[in-house]
Amino acid sequence: MEQNRRINESFSYLTMLLMIFFLSIAKAGNNGKIVFVQDGIGELQKSEKQIAINFWDDYFNKRTKNYSVSSSVTSIDKFMKHLDGGKIDYVLLDGSNYIQYYHRLEPNLTDEAWLVQRTEHSFEEFVLLVRQETNIDHFRQLRNTVFSLHSGYGLLRLYLEQLVLKTSNMSITDYFKEIRDAKTESQAILDVYFSNSDACVVAKHVFDDAIELNPAIKEKIKIIQRTERIYAPAIYLALNGVSKQGQQNFSRGVDMLNNTIRGRQILDLFGIHIIKRIDPKKLQPMLQQNIAWRKY
C-alpha cells in the first residue's frame, strides 16, 4: 500500500502547490494582480484541496503584513482578453499554455520568469515506454495501439501530438486505437506494466522513481524514445505592468516558500524541489521544439 502510494505521484500535487502559492502571493500585491490560469490544472477545484490552501494562506499572512488583496482566477481565454490591459503583475501558466500562447504573450513579458521544479533539474525530459517483450522500437510501430496518457500534464499531450504529426500527419485520436486517460504519470506506467496499454509517455524522473520503488518495472518496460531536458511543467511570468514593489513582494514570497522550515515542509509534501528564477531565454529550446503548436 505504501509503495503504491509513493508510486502514485501526481501532477495534481504540483498544481495544488502552485495554487497555494498563488493565493498566498496574491495578498502581497499592493493593489497589483496575480492571475492563476486554471486551464490544465483542474485538480485544484476539488474541495479537499482547500484545507491545504487555507493552511498555507494563514501561514503566509502571519509572516507578511500590510498587503492588500487583489487576485483573480481565470481561464486562458479570459486571461488573453485582459492581457493588454496592463493591470496584471504576474501570471501562472502551465508549460503547454505558455507554448501555445507565446506569440501573444511575448509583447507583454518582462525579463522575469520563475520555474516550479519537481526535481533538482530546472527542466524535464520525457520518455516513451513500451513493454520489453514487444518488438516495438520506434514510435511509428504504435499505430492502432492502446496508449496511456496522463491528461493532467498538458505538455505530455503536446509532445505526443507532435510525435503523431511528424509520423503520420494525423490527430492522436485517429492515430491510436484507444487513448486511456491515466490519473497520474505513474498510473500510465502501471498500465503498460500490467499490459492494459501498449505504450505511454511520462517524465523521465517519474519513470526513474517507479523503477527505484519496484525494480521489476525496469525488467518489463523499456524506453524507445526520449527528449532533451527542455520542458517546464509550470512557469510564473512577470508582465510589463508590474511595479518594483510588486516584484519585491513576489520575490519575498518565493524566498519564504523555499527557505523557511514550514515552507520546505510544504514543498516536500507536494513533491516540489524549488521555485527558482531563471533567464527567460532558457525557455527557448522548449518553444523551438514545439513551434508548430502555437495554435492561437
Side-chain angles (χ1 to χ4, degrees), residues 148-177:
S148 280
L149 177 67
H150 174 40
S151 60
Y153 192 174
L155 277 173
L156 290 176
R157 183 180 182 91
L158 210 58
Y159 171 65
L160 184 62
E161 287 177 344
Q162 176 178 299
L163 284 179
V164 170
L165 186 60
K166 286 181 177 179
T167 302
S168 68
N169 201 29
M170 300 171 67
S171 70
I172 62 174
T173 53
D174 291 332
Y175 189 81
F176 296 106
K177 178 181 179 180

Side-chain angles (χ1 to χ4, degrees), residues 186-200:
S186 294
Q187 182 59 56
I189 295 172
L190 293 177
D191 282 349
V192 177
Y193 181 80
F194 290 111
S195 301
N196 294 320
S197 294
D198 298 297
C200 70

Side-chain angles (χ1 to χ4, degrees), residues 3 6 205-215 217-218:
Q3 185 181 69
R6 293 176 62 198
H205 71 87
V206 176
F207 184 49
D208 291 340
D209 289 345
I211 291 173
E212 183 176 352
L213 292 168
N214 183 1
I217 289 177
K218 186 175 183 179

Side-chain angles (χ1 to χ4, degrees), residues 6-262:
R6 293 176 62 198
I7 290 178
N8 203 31
E9 173 276 334
S10 169
F11 188 71
S12 65
Y13 284 161
L14 166 69
T15 55
M16 188 198 315
L17 179 62
L18 296 178
M19 185 58 167
I20 292 169
F21 186 49
F22 157 71
L23 290 174
S24 305
I25 300 302
K27 296 185 181 301
N30 278 351
N31 297 315
K33 181 179 288 188
I34 297 175
V35 173
F36 166 76
V37 178
Q38 69 184 47
D39 285 357
I41 316 181
E43 277 288 322
L44 297 173
Q45 305 310 309
K46 295 181 178 180
S47 59
E48 62 267 23
K49 302 296 190 288
Q50 301 307 309
I51 297 175
I53 290 172
N54 291 334
F55 172 78
W56 177 252
D57 200 28
D58 290 342
Y59 173 69
F60 186 92
N61 284 324
K62 289 177 180 178
R63 295 299 186 96
T64 58
K65 300 181 183 297
N66 301 320
Y67 293 137
S68 60
V69 180
S70 180
S71 60
S72 176
V73 179
T74 184
S75 69
I76 187 67
D77 289 336
K78 290 181 179 178
F79 165 67
M80 296 308 300
K81 289 178 181 178
H82 295 91
L83 178 61
D84 298 321
K87 297 181 179 180
I88 300 173
D89 288 348
Y90 289 87
V91 60
L92 171 64
L93 295 175
D94 80 293
S96 63
N97 275 321
Y98 177 77
I99 291 169
Q100 293 177 97
Y101 288 87
Y102 180 76
H103 72 291
R104 292 179 60 186
L105 287 165
E106 186 178 18
N108 297 275
L109 299 179
T110 70
D111 62 353
E112 181 182 356
W114 300 76
L115 287 182
V116 180
Q117 298 176 206
R118 296 197 289 178
T119 73
E120 69 275 11
H121 298 292
S122 297
F123 298 95
E124 298 187 356
E125 57 185 321
F126 298 156
V127 290
L128 190 65
L129 307 175
V130 299
R131 290 190 300 280
Q132 291 275 11
E133 65 195 32
T134 68
N135 293 321
I136 297 173
D137 55 18
H138 194 278
F139 182 77
R140 69 172 66 92
Q141 296 173 268
L142 294 176
R143 179 80 172 90
N144 291 322
T145 60
V146 178
F147 197 95
S148 280
L149 177 67
H150 174 40
S151 60
Y153 192 174
L155 277 173
L156 290 176
R157 183 180 182 91
L158 210 58
Y159 171 65
L160 184 62
E161 287 177 344
Q162 176 178 299
L163 284 179
V164 170
L165 186 60
K166 286 181 177 179
T167 302
S168 68
N169 201 29
M170 300 171 67
S171 70
I172 62 174
T173 53
D174 291 332
Y175 189 81
F176 296 106
K177 178 181 179 180
E178 178 187 352
I179 299 178
R180 294 174 60 94
D181 186 6
K183 292 182 179 180
T184 67
E185 291 171 82
S186 294
Q187 182 59 56
I189 295 172
L190 293 177
D191 282 349
V192 177
Y193 181 80
F194 290 111
S195 301
N196 294 320
S197 294
D198 298 297
C200 70
V201 61
V202 299
K204 176 64 163 52
H205 71 87
V206 176
F207 184 49
D208 291 340
D209 289 345
I211 291 173
E212 183 176 352
L213 292 168
N214 183 1
I217 289 177
K218 186 175 183 179
E219 298 175 4
K220 199 166 184 179
I221 295 179
K222 64 182 178 180
I223 297 172
I224 62 169
Q225 190 163 326
R226 64 193 296 175
T227 70
E228 297 177 73
R229 187 178 286 127
I230 59 173
Y231 292 98
I235 313 157
Y236 272 107
L237 302 166
L239 302 183
N240 52 24
V242 66
S243 67
K244 289 185 178 180
Q245 184 62 54
Q247 290 177 309
Q248 291 173 2
N249 291 338
F250 189 89
S251 180
R252 182 182 180 187
V254 173
D255 183 68
M256 287 177 57
L257 189 59
N258 289 332
N259 297 308
T260 65
I261 293 175
R262 185 63 58 86

